[in-house]
């Protein structure tokens, strides 16, 4: 289903351009991009004490349990605590107190935690889902909100079963645990419960990818992009979807560049374009997890040496500080882009046709540059993920 806000912005931008109002078009494009990048997404994480809520919050945010910004895993959650995503602060995970305590009784729980601000609830248990979990789910349903059951610490269960069984079959065991959870919830009155088996230390395994697909499918259109960008590269499909989302923005960014090119000031367009490229390429690097702390975390969770992951990265943007000098250096290595930039500066002073020509060249230059950087960084992300999991495939 199309996002009505997207259509509204698109029509406004088109109308401004048709009326030759570059300033208005640029303002509307910037408003659209800000709306895309700052859409709030609030995820409530609840469950009994010790169920693995805090570890799940940290894993989702890509933060190690030892990080100073982590949700504390060694103490009870007694208050509603917010944990913004470190790279996408518009995405917030809320660690909620356990339901059924003296301070948060089941019948008043949603009211006390402020249910209206949450987009959906994840109910976590490390064993079986209990009566309070079911009561909470039923109350959430009455309020018209979505909820999902997550069975955490599944890796612990699998290790225990493997030690106790002579002929261990992991797939059968996972299917059995999932079926037991579903039957238990149905017996307590939950219709068609959605249960996902997750290891917070290895999100790429088991049901976490399926959880993401389900959330993506059931979220409103304007919230999906926020979820996608905050998501780890847990599979090659995520990398490809991120690339598609970034690619969809390039035409708007190139149009912004063209609007600046209409201002007849020597060097202004190039300066703005380079600043724009630095910001957008940085966004790509962060989005694909090609920065130091993310690579270290991936190395730790997969056991693949950090140097091997770094070696899979071909574009120097991914392993060094992104600066205007570095962007210009890489642009200069692309003959067509460098030539277009020079032609743009020269063409703006041609009588009558100068400004339109400069705008067209600026659009092309920015579009090509961003597309090139995006393709190369997506390929790097593909190689890093493939290396991390020992795969032999590509996006």
């Amino acid at each position: 289903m199309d996002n009505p806000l997207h259509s509204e912005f698109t029509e406004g931008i088109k109308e401004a351009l048709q009326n030759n109002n570059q300033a208005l078009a640029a303002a509307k494009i910037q408003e659209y991009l800000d709306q895309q990048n700052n859409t709030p997404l609030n995820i409530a994480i609840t469950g009994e004490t010790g169920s693995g809520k805090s570890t799940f919050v940290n894993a989702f945010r890509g933060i190690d349990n030892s990080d100073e910004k982590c949700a504390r895993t060694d103490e009870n959650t007694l208050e509603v605590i917010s944990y913004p995503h470190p790279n996408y602060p518009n995405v917030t995970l809320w660690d909620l107190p356990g339901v059924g305590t003296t301070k948060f009784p089941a019948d008043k729980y949603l009211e006390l935690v402020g249910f209206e601000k949450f987009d959906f609830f994840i109910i976590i248990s490390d064993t079986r889902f209990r009566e309070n979990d079911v009561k909470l789910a039923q109350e959430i349903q009455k309020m018209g909100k979505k909820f999902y059951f997550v069975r955490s610490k599944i890796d612990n269960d699998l290790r225990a079963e493997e030690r106790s069984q002579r002929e261990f079959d992991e797939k059968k065991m996972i299917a059995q645990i999932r079926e037991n959870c579903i039957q238990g919830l149905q017996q307590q009155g939950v219709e068609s419960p959605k249960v996902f088996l997750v290891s917070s230390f290895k999100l790429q395994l088991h049901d976490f990818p399926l959880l993401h697909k389900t959330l993506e499918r059931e979220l409103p259109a304007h919230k999906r992009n926020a979820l996608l960008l905050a998501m780890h590269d847990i599979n090659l499909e995520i990398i490809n979807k991120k690339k598609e989302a970034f690619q969809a923005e390039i035409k708007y960014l190139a149009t912004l560049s063209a609007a600046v090119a209409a201002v007849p000031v020597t060097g202004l367009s190039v300066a703005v374009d380079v600043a724009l490229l630095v910001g957008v390429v940085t966004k790509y690097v962060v989005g694909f997890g090609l920065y130091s702390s993310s690579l270290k975390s991936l190395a730790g969770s997969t056991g693949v040496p950090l140097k091997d992951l770094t070696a899979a990265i071909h574009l120097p943007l991914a392993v060094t500080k992104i600066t205007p000098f570095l962007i210009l250096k890489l642009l200069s290595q692309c003959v067509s882009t460098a030539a277009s930039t020079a032609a743009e500066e020269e063409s703006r002073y041609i009588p009558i046709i100068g400004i339109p020509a400069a705008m067209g060249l600026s659009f092309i230059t920015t579009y090509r540059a961003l597309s090139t950087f995006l393709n190369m960084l997506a390929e790097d992300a593909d190689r890093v993920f493939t290396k991390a999991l020992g795969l032999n495939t590509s996006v």
Side-chain angles (χ1 to χ4, degrees):
M1 184 177 178
D2 290 336
N3 181 357
L5 286 176
H6 173 80
S7 300
E8 180 184 329
F9 276 115
T10 301
E11 287 303 314
I13 294 166
K14 188 186 298 182
E15 183 179 347
L17 290 173
Q18 288 172 344
N19 293 332
N20 202 31
N21 190 339
Q22 283 81 26
L24 179 59
K28 285 189 172 293
I29 289 170
Q30 192 60 60
E31 185 182 355
Y32 170 72
L33 293 174
D34 290 342
Q35 183 261 336
Q36 286 286 96
N37 296 326
N38 298 312
T39 299
L41 181 65
N42 292 289
I43 305 170
I45 311 295
T46 186
E48 294 191 352
T49 299
S51 61
K53 289 184 300 166
S54 298
T55 300
F56 182 87
V57 167
N58 294 334
F60 193 102
R61 296 161 66 230
I63 289 180
D64 188 84
N65 286 345
S66 61
D67 192 287
E68 61 180 13
K69 296 180 181 179
C70 74
R72 294 294 299 271
T73 60
D74 57 351
E75 57 186 44
N76 295 344
T77 303
L78 303 177
E79 303 289 343
V80 178
I81 306 175
S82 63
Y83 293 101
H85 192 284
N87 299 323
Y88 301 97
N90 55 307
V91 177
T92 305
L93 280 82
W94 299 78
D95 193 354
L96 307 187
V99 63
T101 61
T102 304
K103 191 173 180 180
F104 292 90
D107 59 339
K108 294 185 178 179
Y109 184 83
L110 289 178
E111 179 184 346
L112 291 171
V113 300
F115 77 94
E116 66 281 345
K117 66 174 167 282
F118 304 122
D119 290 290
F120 59 87
F121 290 75
I122 292 179
I123 304 171
I124 293 184
S125 175
D126 62 335
T127 52
R128 63 184 179 83
F129 293 97
R130 296 176 171 81
E131 182 182 356
N132 280 335
D133 298 320
V134 172
K135 284 182 179 178
L136 176 59
Q138 291 170 337
E139 289 301 313
I140 294 170
Q141 194 168 35
K142 288 179 185 176
M143 299 296 184
K145 298 277 187 175
K146 297 284 187 179
F147 61 90
Y148 308 90
F149 293 100
V150 165
R151 175 72 157 72
S152 65
K153 304 181 183 180
I154 192 64
D155 43 351
N156 292 344
D157 294 280
L158 294 175
R159 280 195 295 268
E161 291 294 336
E162 187 175 12
R163 287 195 296 267
S164 64
Q165 294 184 19
R166 182 173 299 175
E167 296 182 1
F168 176 71
D169 187 319
E170 181 175 300
K171 288 185 177 180
K172 286 185 179 179
M173 181 54 58
I174 288 175
Q176 181 181 329
I177 294 172
R178 186 186 296 107
E179 184 59 28
N180 289 343
C181 288
I182 292 172
Q183 287 184 359
L185 288 166
Q186 288 175 332
Q187 288 169 3
Q188 295 183 74
V190 181
E191 295 182 9
S192 305
K194 296 173 182 176
V195 178
F196 303 89
L197 277 51
V198 169
S199 166
S200 292
F201 296 104
K202 293 186 177 181
L203 293 182
Q204 69 272 14
L205 302 180
H206 312 307
D207 288 347
F208 190 79
L210 180 59
L211 173 61
H212 169 256
K213 278 189 175 182
T214 304
L215 296 176
E216 185 181 45
R217 183 176 63 248
E218 299 188 353
L219 274 174
H222 66 290
K223 300 273 187 178
R224 291 172 195 157
N225 197 56
L227 176 71
L228 175 64
L229 294 183
M231 191 62 57
H232 294 280
D233 292 347
I234 52 174
N235 54 36
L236 297 172
E237 184 181 358
I238 293 289
I239 296 173
N240 205 34
K241 285 184 176 180
K242 286 183 178 181
K243 180 184 176 184
E244 290 174 358
F246 288 141
Q247 184 70 49
E249 288 188 347
I250 289 181
K251 60 178 179 285
Y252 297 109
L253 295 163
T255 304
L256 271 180
S257 172
V260 174
V263 181
V265 177
T266 303
L268 175 64
S269 180
V270 173
V272 171
D273 287 351
V274 172
L276 182 149
L277 289 172
V278 169
V280 176
V281 172
T282 299
K283 179 180 175 180
Y284 294 167
V285 170
V286 170
F288 288 127
L290 297 173
Y291 56 98
S292 179
S293 59
S294 178
L295 293 170
K296 287 178 182 177
S297 177
L298 183 60
S301 66
T302 60
V304 177
L306 177 61
K307 62 180 179 61
D308 291 352
L309 297 181
T310 304
I313 297 173
H314 293 178
L315 191 65
L317 286 168
V319 290
T320 58
K321 182 176 176 58
I322 302 172
T323 64
F325 175 78
L326 181 58
I327 290 290
L328 286 170
K329 180 182 176 181
L330 291 170
L331 285 175
S332 68
Q333 295 170 3
C334 178
V335 177
S336 61
T337 301
S340 296
T341 303
E344 176 196 332
E345 284 300 310
E346 293 173 4
S347 67
R348 72 174 65 251
Y349 296 104
I350 300 174
I352 301 175
I353 66 166
I355 295 300
M359 291 176 66
L361 286 169
S362 183
F363 181 96
I364 293 170
T365 301
T366 303
Y367 193 97
R368 285 179 177 172
L370 286 176
S371 295
T372 298
F373 287 139
L374 176 58
N375 288 335
M376 295 177 74
L377 287 167
E379 289 170 3
D380 279 342
D382 182 8
R383 281 189 289 268
V384 167
F385 184 83
T386 300
K387 188 71 173 179
L389 296 190
L391 302 175
N392 184 25
T393 184
S394 61
V395 173

